[in-house]
Amino acid sequence: MKILISNGRLIDPANQRDEISDILIDKGKIAAIAKPGRIPKQDTDGAKVIDATDQIVAPGFIDMHVHFREPGFEYKETIETGCQSAAAGGFTTVAMMPNTHPVNDNRSVTEFMLSQAKAHGVVNVLSIGAVSVGLQGEKLTDMGDLKTAGVVAYSDDGHPVMNNELMRRALEYSKMFDLPIIQHCEVLDLTAGGCMNESRVSTELGLKGMPTEGEDIMVYRDIALLEKTGGRVHVAHISSAQSVDLVRQAKAKGLAVTCEVAPHHFSLTDEAVRGYDTNSKMSPPLREQKDVAAIKQGLQDGTIDMIATDHAPHDLADKQMDYQSACFGIVGLETALPLTLKLIDEKVITLPQMVALFTAQPAEIFKLDKGNLAVGKDADVVVFDPQVEYNIDVQKFKSKSKNSPFHGWPVKGRVTHTLVMGKIVHTSNS
Amino acid sequence: MTLANRDILSIQDLADEDIEAILDTATSLKEISTRKIKKVPTLRGRTIINLFFEPSTRTRTSFEIAGKRLSADVINISASTSSATKGESLLDTAYNLEAMNPDILVIRHGSSGVPQMIASHIKCPVINAGDGAHEHPTQALLDLLTIRERHKTLTGLKVVIVGDIAHSRVARSNILAMRKMGMVVTVVGPPTMIPVGMAQLGVSIHYNLEEALRDVDVIMMLRIQLERQSQGLFSSFREYSSLYCLTAEKLKNASKQVMIMHPGPVNRGVEISLDILEGPHSVVLEQVHNGVAVRMALLYLLLEGGNEDSN
């Protein structure tokens, strides 16, 4: 079926495009792009028309960090519901972390996840394989076999690779397959038992803190190793000012280091933990104002390459408990766009920069043939109204889980249409 | 007199006038405990549940006696006898107890924030009887009463709090309460036990006990737990004692009027030498004694505070 997205502001950083355009989609691909009304009538005949007047049209967003909990924890999220949540948030490609049960540390699990995605998922689903068997940090996985099965990166995510020797070998070994290692940077002996950022607030609340040095030391270690070994390191959900600086310095040296930030780390500080709302508990934890400022600086100057949500669904029972015992993590796919749009109002980044952070930059770093709306490319498209105002309501989330600290927040900006391979997978009234 | 808040979860829930009112009420209620018949009918027909998820002798008994002296029905539930061991969630336990219409729930839990969490989900007023390393507001109130009795004032007094500040809810509640009352607070202990951001709470920090004791009016010693040794927070009881045990030698520069406090239970000879613990400066048992009066005052003000006829 043909679809004509008419009269929207097309922002496509991969092709340096930012102008009011009509876009014709046919057979799952971008068929034509022209100024409004300029695509020949015979080409648009019979096309379903999406009127994108006053809206932004962009490549579908890419999120390189989601937890879809299948297999193992389907009561929190499944690949099917996770994909619906992604589509509602404007994401057309997501990469699943391997901390499932069983762990995605071998090709049969990868193949299962990707086949579930193919059968039930409405967006493109990518898989990230484990660095070590069982995320135990002891023995490397069959990285080659995992790549054959389809993984696009390796990560032990929430179980960071603590052993320095193993990390060195993982960087060396992964070079054969030219895939990056995504590191959740946290030196576990410094954060053991911690449940929030270490700060004046943790002292007042009597909660065990997780100091930023826990993150910084591992960021530095990985950079130091990489300098010798080569390979590629991608720092997951960067949260501390010092870590942003370390990545900036490594990039200046020309090292293959990239990083992502999650919207909550530039939207909230550890002040949100007051009152012990367990939806403010995530890892890395919410930091201080100086860290938020450094992250914004990093987004502005290009140190931070992409926005990733670390979508981490947990059901009520895993969150409705004492702060110390509650699970880490929040859902993120359906709040990422409005939270990031705030950065444009604050003049931290421009709208085209935001789109690049969500599309062209992750595509380039992870070598995905996505995030690009040139003629002939896959028609993964998001249409959003950046002005519409509303309050975030977790009950309206498509995700199975509702664990978000942003419930009730007044925000601007909502996805009105999400298209994957030329098919409309999500619509909402602006 | 009505308190500003119906839940007493933190010293921050109390206005300055609330603290004054609680101490004054406690002072007037102390007399009841000296009678032969130690009971008044004020809270007859009221039900107080003590829900303790952590062992406690002093605090639980103190709340129980306080309730009973005011004629309330007091029910004690400890974690070992509750459904906690059956995996019933905290909130389910709270909802079930609330369904039986208690007038006050007194909660102690080893994890910071639990009384807050429960209070935000139920209608029944909650008193925090100690949560993790967060707060122990009634302890701070009884400490203030004890100090006021000795020194006749609070404003301007110099206090040192000594020991494991990082893990102490007693220290946190006292720092908040003492600052509210215009006292000057110094914390003393090994740097491993002074948490990040302490100076921002308006206290001074000192590592040397003997020096810190010069000219102070109040010394509050905290309990040190052996498990902190395995966490690397101190090397041994022996070294800890040599640095921070309150002895006659360390007290030689202290004022003659200094009072020595400890929330208990005391590791005798580790935090305080025996002669000091039992000597004239020690008010450890006065603290326990005042605990009953302060809790009576709090129960009374929470349940009957707005009702002048009941007096």
Side-chain angles (χ1 to χ4, degrees), chain A residues 198-208 274-276 278 288 319-325, chain B residues 12 90-91 109 111-114 116-117 121 131-134 172 195-198 200-201:
Chain A
E198 183 180 85
S199 68
R200 174 198 174 151
V201 181
S202 65
T203 292
E204 285 185 43
L205 295 178
L207 293 171
K208 177 90 163 50
R274 292 188 192 277
Y276 300 94
T278 56
E288 292 173 70
K319 277 292 194 184
Q320 210 175 59
M321 51 172 71
D322 66 284
Y323 203 88
Q324 179 74 43
S325 311
Chain B
Q12 283 165 328
L90 272 176
L91 275 182
H109 198 286
S111 186
S112 302
V114 166
Q116 282 78 348
M117 184 190 78
H121 284 89
D131 62 323
H134 176 226
R172 281 174 181 74
V196 166
M198 209 63 213
Q200 291 164 278
L201 300 186

mmCIF file of all heavy atoms in Angstrom, chain A residues 198-208 274-276 278 288 319-325, chain B residues 12 90-91 109 111-114 116-117 121 131-134 172 195-198 200-201:
data_model
loop_
_atom_site.group_PDB
_atom_site.id
_atom_site.type_symbol
_atom_site.label_atom_id
_atom_site.label_comp_id
_atom_site.label_asym_id
_atom_site.label_seq_id
_atom_site.Cartn_x
_atom_site.Cartn_y
_atom_site.Cartn_z
ATOM 1 N N GLU A 198 25.425 8.502 45.797
ATOM 2 C CA GLU A 198 25.980 8.921 47.084
ATOM 3 C C GLU A 198 26.095 10.436 47.106
ATOM 4 O O GLU A 198 26.772 11.023 46.261
ATOM 5 C CB GLU A 198 27.356 8.300 47.304
ATOM 6 C CG GLU A 198 27.939 8.659 48.662
ATOM 7 C CD GLU A 198 29.307 8.041 48.890
ATOM 8 O OE1 GLU A 198 30.315 8.630 48.454
ATOM 9 O OE2 GLU A 198 29.365 6.960 49.481
ATOM 10 N N SER A 199 25.426 11.052 48.049
ATOM 11 C CA SER A 199 25.368 12.510 48.078
ATOM 12 C C SER A 199 24.793 12.952 49.405
ATOM 13 O O SER A 199 24.457 12.127 50.260
ATOM 14 C CB SER A 199 24.446 13.011 46.965
ATOM 15 O OG SER A 199 23.104 12.620 47.264
ATOM 16 N N ARG A 200 24.633 14.234 49.546
ATOM 17 C CA ARG A 200 23.946 14.762 50.714
ATOM 18 C C ARG A 200 22.565 14.122 50.869
ATOM 19 O O ARG A 200 22.106 13.843 51.976
ATOM 20 C CB ARG A 200 23.792 16.276 50.539
ATOM 21 C CG ARG A 200 22.977 16.886 51.632
ATOM 22 C CD ARG A 200 22.463 18.255 51.265
ATOM 23 N NE ARG A 200 21.579 18.720 52.317
ATOM 24 C CZ ARG A 200 21.385 19.979 52.629
ATOM 25 N NH1 ARG A 200 21.986 20.914 51.955
ATOM 26 N NH2 ARG A 200 20.574 20.316 53.601
ATOM 27 N N VAL A 201 21.899 13.870 49.737
ATOM 28 C CA VAL A 201 20.544 13.310 49.806
ATOM 29 C C VAL A 201 20.569 11.887 50.367
ATOM 30 O O VAL A 201 19.747 11.527 51.212
ATOM 31 C CB VAL A 201 19.849 13.345 48.425
ATOM 32 C CG1 VAL A 201 18.437 12.795 48.521
ATOM 33 C CG2 VAL A 201 19.832 14.758 47.867
ATOM 34 N N SER A 202 21.523 11.075 49.925
ATOM 35 C CA SER A 202 21.588 9.702 50.450
ATOM 36 C C SER A 202 21.875 9.744 51.950
ATOM 37 O O SER A 202 21.362 8.925 52.714
ATOM 38 C CB SER A 202 22.636 8.872 49.711
ATOM 39 O OG SER A 202 23.942 9.351 49.927
ATOM 40 N N THR A 203 22.690 10.695 52.359
ATOM 41 C CA THR A 203 22.984 10.834 53.790
ATOM 42 C C THR A 203 21.720 11.204 54.553
ATOM 43 O O THR A 203 21.416 10.616 55.586
ATOM 44 C CB THR A 203 24.085 11.898 53.992
ATOM 45 O OG1 THR A 203 25.297 11.368 53.451
ATOM 46 C CG2 THR A 203 24.296 12.223 55.460
ATOM 47 N N GLU A 204 20.970 12.144 54.029
ATOM 48 C CA GLU A 204 19.748 12.549 54.729
ATOM 49 C C GLU A 204 18.720 11.431 54.777
ATOM 50 O O GLU A 204 17.989 11.289 55.746
ATOM 51 C CB GLU A 204 19.134 13.780 54.054
ATOM 52 C CG GLU A 204 19.906 15.049 54.357
ATOM 53 C CD GLU A 204 19.220 16.277 53.781
ATOM 54 O OE1 GLU A 204 17.990 16.382 53.897
ATOM 55 O OE2 GLU A 204 19.924 17.117 53.188
ATOM 56 N N LEU A 205 18.646 10.654 53.686
ATOM 57 C CA LEU A 205 17.627 9.608 53.630
ATOM 58 C C LEU A 205 18.077 8.320 54.305
ATOM 59 O O LEU A 205 17.300 7.381 54.443
ATOM 60 C CB LEU A 205 17.248 9.319 52.172
ATOM 61 C CG LEU A 205 16.572 10.474 51.428
ATOM 62 C CD1 LEU A 205 16.283 10.078 49.992
ATOM 63 C CD2 LEU A 205 15.272 10.864 52.129
ATOM 64 N N GLY A 206 19.359 8.255 54.673
ATOM 65 C CA GLY A 206 19.852 7.033 55.305
ATOM 66 C C GLY A 206 19.906 5.866 54.341
ATOM 67 O O GLY A 206 19.726 4.721 54.738
ATOM 68 N N LEU A 207 20.133 6.156 53.060
ATOM 69 C CA LEU A 207 20.236 5.085 52.066
ATOM 70 C C LEU A 207 21.698 4.943 51.644
ATOM 71 O O LEU A 207 22.434 5.921 51.563
ATOM 72 C CB LEU A 207 19.374 5.404 50.838
ATOM 73 C CG LEU A 207 17.861 5.400 51.075
ATOM 74 C CD1 LEU A 207 17.121 5.947 49.850
ATOM 75 C CD2 LEU A 207 17.357 3.988 51.396
ATOM 76 N N LYS A 208 22.093 3.706 51.341
ATOM 77 C CA LYS A 208 23.479 3.462 50.943
ATOM 78 C C LYS A 208 23.702 4.037 49.551
ATOM 79 O O LYS A 208 22.939 3.786 48.630
ATOM 80 C CB LYS A 208 23.745 1.953 50.959
ATOM 81 C CG LYS A 208 25.121 1.525 50.492
ATOM 82 C CD LYS A 208 26.121 1.474 51.655
ATOM 83 C CE LYS A 208 27.380 0.658 51.333
ATOM 84 N NZ LYS A 208 28.067 0.964 50.101
ATOM 85 N N ARG A 274 13.833 11.673 47.345
ATOM 86 C CA ARG A 274 13.161 12.079 48.590
ATOM 87 C C ARG A 274 11.702 11.614 48.543
ATOM 88 O O ARG A 274 11.030 11.798 47.528
ATOM 89 C CB ARG A 274 13.188 13.596 48.747
ATOM 90 C CG ARG A 274 14.581 14.147 48.997
ATOM 91 C CD ARG A 274 14.494 15.631 49.332
ATOM 92 N NE ARG A 274 15.812 16.247 49.291
ATOM 93 C CZ ARG A 274 16.680 16.203 50.299
ATOM 94 N NH1 ARG A 274 16.354 15.580 51.420
ATOM 95 N NH2 ARG A 274 17.859 16.771 50.196
ATOM 96 N N GLY A 275 11.252 11.040 49.627
ATOM 97 C CA GLY A 275 9.914 10.460 49.626
ATOM 98 C C GLY A 275 9.961 8.974 49.318
ATOM 99 O O GLY A 275 8.968 8.276 49.410
ATOM 100 N N TYR A 276 11.141 8.488 48.948
ATOM 101 C CA TYR A 276 11.367 7.055 48.748
ATOM 102 C C TYR A 276 10.504 6.442 47.653
ATOM 103 O O TYR A 276 10.115 5.278 47.737
ATOM 104 C CB TYR A 276 11.172 6.276 50.057
ATOM 105 C CG TYR A 276 12.106 6.688 51.177
ATOM 106 C CD1 TYR A 276 11.712 7.635 52.121
ATOM 107 C CD2 TYR A 276 13.377 6.139 51.288
ATOM 108 C CE1 TYR A 276 12.562 8.026 53.152
ATOM 109 C CE2 TYR A 276 14.229 6.522 52.310
ATOM 110 C CZ TYR A 276 13.820 7.463 53.239
ATOM 111 O OH TYR A 276 14.650 7.839 54.256
ATOM 112 N N THR A 278 10.042 4.407 44.738
ATOM 113 C CA THR A 278 10.959 3.427 44.140
ATOM 114 C C THR A 278 11.062 3.582 42.621
ATOM 115 O O THR A 278 11.949 2.997 42.014
ATOM 116 C CB THR A 278 10.549 1.984 44.489
ATOM 117 O OG1 THR A 278 9.192 1.786 44.074
ATOM 118 C CG2 THR A 278 10.669 1.730 45.977
ATOM 119 N N GLU A 288 23.548 14.280 40.524
ATOM 120 C CA GLU A 288 23.345 15.640 41.026
ATOM 121 C C GLU A 288 23.266 16.646 39.877
ATOM 122 O O GLU A 288 23.536 16.316 38.726
ATOM 123 C CB GLU A 288 24.488 16.007 41.975
ATOM 124 C CG GLU A 288 24.452 15.198 43.261
ATOM 125 C CD GLU A 288 25.669 15.428 44.127
ATOM 126 O OE1 GLU A 288 25.786 16.524 44.678
ATOM 127 O OE2 GLU A 288 26.501 14.513 44.240
ATOM 128 N N LYS A 319 8.399 -3.318 42.515
ATOM 129 C CA LYS A 319 8.688 -1.923 42.832
ATOM 130 C C LYS A 319 8.030 -1.482 44.138
ATOM 131 O O LYS A 319 8.541 -0.621 44.831
ATOM 132 C CB LYS A 319 8.191 -1.016 41.694
ATOM 133 C CG LYS A 319 9.178 -0.900 40.529
ATOM 134 C CD LYS A 319 10.448 -0.138 40.944
ATOM 135 C CE LYS A 319 11.285 0.292 39.754
ATOM 136 N NZ LYS A 319 12.548 0.943 40.178
ATOM 137 N N GLN A 320 6.852 -2.089 44.443
ATOM 138 C CA GLN A 320 6.117 -1.630 45.619
ATOM 139 C C GLN A 320 6.669 -2.316 46.864
ATOM 140 O O GLN A 320 6.028 -3.172 47.463
ATOM 141 C CB GLN A 320 4.630 -1.914 45.446
ATOM 142 C CG GLN A 320 3.770 -0.914 46.173
ATOM 143 C CD GLN A 320 2.303 -1.141 45.887
ATOM 144 O OE1 GLN A 320 1.752 -2.197 46.142
ATOM 145 N NE2 GLN A 320 1.641 -0.134 45.349
ATOM 146 N N MET A 321 7.873 -1.957 47.223
ATOM 147 C CA MET A 321 8.501 -2.515 48.418
ATOM 148 C C MET A 321 9.459 -1.469 48.963
ATOM 149 O O MET A 321 9.514 -0.362 48.450
ATOM 150 C CB MET A 321 9.195 -3.827 48.084
ATOM 151 C CG MET A 321 10.123 -3.768 46.889
ATOM 152 S SD MET A 321 11.076 -5.288 46.711
ATOM 153 C CE MET A 321 9.841 -6.453 46.180
ATOM 154 N N ASP A 322 10.177 -1.836 50.015
ATOM 155 C CA ASP A 322 11.085 -0.835 50.583
ATOM 156 C C ASP A 322 12.152 -0.471 49.565
ATOM 157 O O ASP A 322 12.501 -1.265 48.694
ATOM 158 C CB ASP A 322 11.679 -1.333 51.901
ATOM 159 C CG ASP A 322 12.593 -2.524 51.716
ATOM 160 O OD1 ASP A 322 12.078 -3.633 51.508
ATOM 161 O OD2 ASP A 322 13.820 -2.337 51.747
ATOM 162 N N TYR A 323 12.666 0.747 49.687
ATOM 163 C CA TYR A 323 13.554 1.302 48.647
ATOM 164 C C TYR A 323 14.775 0.415 48.420
ATOM 165 O O TYR A 323 15.162 0.149 47.281
ATOM 166 C CB TYR A 323 13.985 2.716 49.044
ATOM 167 C CG TYR A 323 14.397 3.533 47.851
ATOM 168 C CD1 TYR A 323 13.466 4.262 47.120
ATOM 169 C CD2 TYR A 323 15.722 3.557 47.424
ATOM 170 C CE1 TYR A 323 13.828 4.996 46.012
ATOM 171 C CE2 TYR A 323 16.100 4.288 46.308
ATOM 172 C CZ TYR A 323 15.148 5.010 45.606
ATOM 173 O OH TYR A 323 15.510 5.722 44.498
ATOM 174 N N GLN A 324 15.363 -0.023 49.531
ATOM 175 C CA GLN A 324 16.571 -0.846 49.435
ATOM 176 C C GLN A 324 16.324 -2.119 48.626
ATOM 177 O O GLN A 324 17.179 -2.538 47.851
ATOM 178 C CB GLN A 324 17.020 -1.201 50.861
ATOM 179 C CG GLN A 324 18.253 -2.063 50.961
ATOM 180 C CD GLN A 324 19.519 -1.289 50.647
ATOM 181 O OE1 GLN A 324 19.685 -0.170 51.097
ATOM 182 N NE2 GLN A 324 20.404 -1.868 49.854
ATOM 183 N N SER A 325 15.151 -2.723 48.784
ATOM 184 C CA SER A 325 14.890 -4.019 48.153
ATOM 185 C C SER A 325 14.292 -3.919 46.758
ATOM 186 O O SER A 325 14.299 -4.902 46.014
ATOM 187 C CB SER A 325 13.908 -4.830 49.013
ATOM 188 O OG SER A 325 14.291 -4.845 50.345
ATOM 189 N N GLN B 12 11.593 16.359 60.581
ATOM 190 C CA GLN B 12 11.169 17.423 59.665
ATOM 191 C C GLN B 12 9.651 17.570 59.596
ATOM 192 O O GLN B 12 9.152 18.582 59.111
ATOM 193 C CB GLN B 12 11.738 17.172 58.268
ATOM 194 C CG GLN B 12 13.207 17.562 58.216
ATOM 195 C CD GLN B 12 13.932 17.032 57.013
ATOM 196 O OE1 GLN B 12 13.623 15.954 56.512
ATOM 197 N NE2 GLN B 12 14.913 17.767 56.541
ATOM 198 N N LEU B 90 5.048 -6.047 52.618
ATOM 199 C CA LEU B 90 4.928 -5.001 53.625
ATOM 200 C C LEU B 90 3.581 -4.305 53.570
ATOM 201 O O LEU B 90 2.923 -4.092 54.579
ATOM 202 C CB LEU B 90 5.986 -3.933 53.337
ATOM 203 C CG LEU B 90 7.362 -4.087 53.923
ATOM 204 C CD1 LEU B 90 8.231 -2.955 53.393
ATOM 205 C CD2 LEU B 90 7.255 -4.001 55.427
ATOM 206 N N LEU B 91 3.197 -3.944 52.340
ATOM 207 C CA LEU B 91 1.953 -3.195 52.192
ATOM 208 C C LEU B 91 0.747 -4.043 52.525
ATOM 209 O O LEU B 91 -0.210 -3.559 53.137
ATOM 210 C CB LEU B 91 1.826 -2.648 50.774
ATOM 211 C CG LEU B 91 2.522 -1.318 50.519
ATOM 212 C CD1 LEU B 91 2.277 -0.873 49.095
ATOM 213 C CD2 LEU B 91 2.036 -0.251 51.489
ATOM 214 N N HIS B 109 11.528 -0.581 61.124
ATOM 215 C CA HIS B 109 11.979 -1.461 60.046
ATOM 216 C C HIS B 109 13.456 -1.212 59.776
ATOM 217 O O HIS B 109 13.931 -0.082 59.923
ATOM 218 C CB HIS B 109 11.154 -1.186 58.776
ATOM 219 C CG HIS B 109 11.225 -2.304 57.764
ATOM 220 N ND1 HIS B 109 12.330 -2.534 56.980
ATOM 221 C CD2 HIS B 109 10.318 -3.260 57.421
ATOM 222 C CE1 HIS B 109 12.096 -3.581 56.194
ATOM 223 N NE2 HIS B 109 10.882 -4.047 56.444
ATOM 224 N N SER B 111 14.922 -1.120 57.010
ATOM 225 C CA SER B 111 15.185 -0.479 55.727
ATOM 226 C C SER B 111 14.663 0.958 55.756
ATOM 227 O O SER B 111 13.504 1.201 56.109
ATOM 228 C CB SER B 111 14.493 -1.288 54.627
ATOM 229 O OG SER B 111 14.822 -0.786 53.371
ATOM 230 N N SER B 112 15.492 1.906 55.381
ATOM 231 C CA SER B 112 15.111 3.318 55.417
ATOM 232 C C SER B 112 13.901 3.569 54.530
ATOM 233 O O SER B 112 13.835 3.081 53.409
ATOM 234 C CB SER B 112 16.270 4.189 54.914
ATOM 235 O OG SER B 112 17.420 3.984 55.688
ATOM 236 N N GLY B 113 12.945 4.344 55.042
ATOM 237 C CA GLY B 113 11.820 4.771 54.217
ATOM 238 C C GLY B 113 10.564 3.922 54.345
ATOM 239 O O GLY B 113 9.525 4.292 53.809
ATOM 240 N N VAL B 114 10.633 2.806 55.063
ATOM 241 C CA VAL B 114 9.452 1.933 55.149
ATOM 242 C C VAL B 114 8.263 2.621 55.838
ATOM 243 O O VAL B 114 7.137 2.571 55.324
ATOM 244 C CB VAL B 114 9.798 0.580 55.803
ATOM 245 C CG1 VAL B 114 8.542 -0.182 56.203
ATOM 246 C CG2 VAL B 114 10.643 -0.249 54.837
ATOM 247 N N GLN B 116 7.532 5.707 55.851
ATOM 248 C CA GLN B 116 7.039 6.672 54.858
ATOM 249 C C GLN B 116 6.183 5.965 53.814
ATOM 250 O O GLN B 116 5.114 6.438 53.437
ATOM 251 C CB GLN B 116 8.206 7.350 54.129
ATOM 252 C CG GLN B 116 8.899 8.444 54.899
ATOM 253 C CD GLN B 116 9.866 7.904 55.962
ATOM 254 O OE1 GLN B 116 9.872 6.724 56.290
ATOM 255 N NE2 GLN B 116 10.648 8.786 56.517
ATOM 256 N N MET B 117 6.712 4.844 53.306
ATOM 257 C CA MET B 117 5.994 4.136 52.258
ATOM 258 C C MET B 117 4.629 3.676 52.771
ATOM 259 O O MET B 117 3.612 3.857 52.103
ATOM 260 C CB MET B 117 6.803 2.938 51.772
ATOM 261 C CG MET B 117 6.136 2.241 50.615
ATOM 262 S SD MET B 117 6.898 0.675 50.178
ATOM 263 C CE MET B 117 6.255 -0.358 51.447
ATOM 264 N N HIS B 121 0.312 4.975 51.971
ATOM 265 C CA HIS B 121 -0.718 4.088 51.426
ATOM 266 C C HIS B 121 -1.892 3.845 52.362
ATOM 267 O O HIS B 121 -2.896 3.271 51.947
ATOM 268 C CB HIS B 121 -0.111 2.735 51.036
ATOM 269 C CG HIS B 121 0.666 2.783 49.755
ATOM 270 N ND1 HIS B 121 2.007 3.089 49.703
ATOM 271 C CD2 HIS B 121 0.289 2.592 48.471
ATOM 272 C CE1 HIS B 121 2.418 3.067 48.454
ATOM 273 N NE2 HIS B 121 1.402 2.778 47.684
ATOM 274 N N ASP B 131 13.809 3.733 61.305
ATOM 275 C CA ASP B 131 13.845 3.072 59.987
ATOM 276 C C ASP B 131 15.261 3.127 59.419
ATOM 277 O O ASP B 131 15.788 4.178 59.104
ATOM 278 C CB ASP B 131 12.841 3.712 59.010
ATOM 279 C CG ASP B 131 13.112 5.177 58.695
ATOM 280 O OD1 ASP B 131 13.533 5.914 59.600
ATOM 281 O OD2 ASP B 131 12.900 5.571 57.525
ATOM 282 N N GLY B 132 15.860 1.959 59.320
ATOM 283 C CA GLY B 132 17.187 1.838 58.720
ATOM 284 C C GLY B 132 18.155 2.841 59.319
ATOM 285 O O GLY B 132 18.238 3.011 60.539
ATOM 286 N N ALA B 133 18.878 3.507 58.428
ATOM 287 C CA ALA B 133 19.819 4.535 58.877
ATOM 288 C C ALA B 133 19.202 5.915 58.697
ATOM 289 O O ALA B 133 19.905 6.909 58.639
ATOM 290 C CB ALA B 133 21.116 4.423 58.081
ATOM 291 N N HIS B 134 17.876 5.969 58.579
ATOM 292 C CA HIS B 134 17.221 7.234 58.273
ATOM 293 C C HIS B 134 16.928 8.045 59.530
ATOM 294 O O HIS B 134 17.656 8.968 59.838
ATOM 295 C CB HIS B 134 15.950 6.969 57.455
ATOM 296 C CG HIS B 134 15.142 8.181 57.163
ATOM 297 N ND1 HIS B 134 13.777 8.228 57.330
ATOM 298 C CD2 HIS B 134 15.507 9.395 56.727
ATOM 299 C CE1 HIS B 134 13.347 9.436 57.001
ATOM 300 N NE2 HIS B 134 14.364 10.158 56.627
ATOM 301 N N ARG B 172 20.942 11.169 62.873
ATOM 302 C CA ARG B 172 20.224 12.002 61.898
ATOM 303 C C ARG B 172 19.067 12.757 62.545
ATOM 304 O O ARG B 172 18.905 13.951 62.344
ATOM 305 C CB ARG B 172 19.732 11.151 60.733
ATOM 306 C CG ARG B 172 20.843 10.847 59.737
ATOM 307 C CD ARG B 172 20.352 9.885 58.665
ATOM 308 N NE ARG B 172 21.408 9.568 57.720
ATOM 309 C CZ ARG B 172 22.435 8.771 57.972
ATOM 310 N NH1 ARG B 172 22.570 8.223 59.171
ATOM 311 N NH2 ARG B 172 23.334 8.523 57.043
ATOM 312 N N PRO B 195 29.311 10.315 56.872
ATOM 313 C CA PRO B 195 28.839 10.197 55.490
ATOM 314 C C PRO B 195 29.046 11.478 54.667
ATOM 315 O O PRO B 195 29.214 12.561 55.222
ATOM 316 C CB PRO B 195 27.355 9.893 55.655
ATOM 317 C CG PRO B 195 26.989 10.446 56.980
ATOM 318 C CD PRO B 195 28.205 10.346 57.842
ATOM 319 N N VAL B 196 29.023 11.288 53.368
ATOM 320 C CA VAL B 196 29.130 12.389 52.407
ATOM 321 C C VAL B 196 28.078 13.460 52.693
ATOM 322 O O VAL B 196 26.938 13.143 53.027
ATOM 323 C CB VAL B 196 28.895 11.818 50.991
ATOM 324 C CG1 VAL B 196 28.656 12.922 49.975
ATOM 325 C CG2 VAL B 196 30.083 10.969 50.564
ATOM 326 N N GLY B 197 28.461 14.715 52.584
ATOM 327 C CA GLY B 197 27.465 15.784 52.659
ATOM 328 C C GLY B 197 27.085 16.191 54.069
ATOM 329 O O GLY B 197 26.148 16.954 54.278
ATOM 330 N N MET B 198 27.807 15.675 55.058
ATOM 331 C CA MET B 198 27.463 15.956 56.458
ATOM 332 C C MET B 198 27.566 17.456 56.755
ATOM 333 O O MET B 198 26.698 18.017 57.439
ATOM 334 C CB MET B 198 28.453 15.185 57.343
ATOM 335 C CG MET B 198 27.900 14.786 58.672
ATOM 336 S SD MET B 198 26.517 13.668 58.474
ATOM 337 C CE MET B 198 25.533 14.140 59.839
ATOM 338 N N GLN B 200 27.028 19.890 54.951
ATOM 339 C CA GLN B 200 25.898 20.641 54.396
ATOM 340 C C GLN B 200 24.676 20.602 55.312
ATOM 341 O O GLN B 200 23.732 21.347 55.116
ATOM 342 C CB GLN B 200 25.523 20.096 53.016
ATOM 343 C CG GLN B 200 26.578 20.393 51.961
ATOM 344 C CD GLN B 200 26.376 19.529 50.731
ATOM 345 O OE1 GLN B 200 26.794 18.375 50.679
ATOM 346 N NE2 GLN B 200 25.725 20.088 49.726
ATOM 347 N N LEU B 201 24.693 19.689 56.288
ATOM 348 C CA LEU B 201 23.578 19.646 57.234
ATOM 349 C C LEU B 201 23.785 20.631 58.377
ATOM 350 O O LEU B 201 23.016 20.655 59.330
ATOM 351 C CB LEU B 201 23.413 18.227 57.793
ATOM 352 C CG LEU B 201 23.124 17.126 56.776
ATOM 353 C CD1 LEU B 201 22.839 15.811 57.488
ATOM 354 C CD2 LEU B 201 21.932 17.496 55.901
#
